[in-house]
């Protein structure tokens, strides 16, 4: 568990489909992982959720976001880490509009996060 806890410099590849539009986006940022108890952790930064460490794999809780633009649900596949590298895959789906309470279009996003521990 102590190997996992810390701050990661993360690169992200997102494959987004929104209505009739699609694009691959590259981004970067930070994910910080803090220990909550024996097997539970909190992630903050590019990913904000809790997870549980089971047999060397990190299982992250799904996340739902709702506002006047629409709703999104993000599911995380199990994360893997070792030698200071954290890898996470996620899938987000829902419906979004470009204006509050406007016409909503289907949205999906497949993400690959690769983090290198810096602290």
């Amino acid at each position: 568990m102590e190997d996992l806890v810390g701050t990661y410099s993360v690169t992200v590849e997102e494959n987004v489909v929104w209505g009739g539009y699609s694009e691959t986006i590259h981004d970067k940022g930070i994910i910080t992982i803090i220990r909550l108890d024996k097997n539970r952790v909190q992630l903050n930064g590019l990913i904000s959720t809790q997870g549980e460490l089971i047999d060397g794999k990190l299982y992250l809780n799904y996340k739902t976001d709702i506002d006047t633009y629409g709703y999104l649900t993000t599911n995380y596949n199990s994360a893997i880490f070792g030698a200071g590298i954290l890898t996470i895959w996620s899938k987000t789906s829902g419906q979004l509009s470009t204006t509050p309470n406007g016409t909503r279009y289907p949205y999906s996003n497949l993400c690959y996060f690769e983090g290198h521990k810096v602290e």
Side-chain angles (χ1 to χ4, degrees), residues 65-100:
D65 296 300
I66 301 171
D67 65 16
T68 58
Y69 289 89
Y71 62 91
L72 299 173
T73 300
T74 301
N75 291 292
Y76 300 96
N77 292 350
S78 61
I80 20 181
F81 67 95
I85 298 174
L86 174 67
T87 305
I88 301 170
W89 292 267
S90 71
K91 180 178 182 181
T92 301
S93 59
Q95 292 194 352
L96 290 177
S97 69
T98 57
T99 60

Side-chain angles (χ1 to χ4, degrees), residues 15-69:
N15 295 297
V16 176
V17 177
W18 183 19
Y21 171 81
S22 66
E23 180 178 8
T24 298
I25 301 169
H26 295 86
D27 199 2
K28 54 182 145 179
I30 299 290
I31 294 175
T32 301
I33 301 177
I34 59 173
R35 185 178 187 163
L36 297 176
D37 62 31
K38 182 180 175 188
N39 294 323
R40 296 212 41 89
V41 294
Q42 172 69 46
L43 281 73
N44 295 310
L46 287 175
I47 296 176
S48 181
T49 192
Q50 291 186 2
E52 185 171 6
L53 188 63
I54 302 172
D55 296 328
K57 288 188 178 179
L58 181 60
Y59 294 89
L60 301 175
N61 296 348
Y62 76 92
K63 181 180 172 189
T64 299
D65 296 300
I66 301 171
D67 65 16
T68 58
Y69 289 89

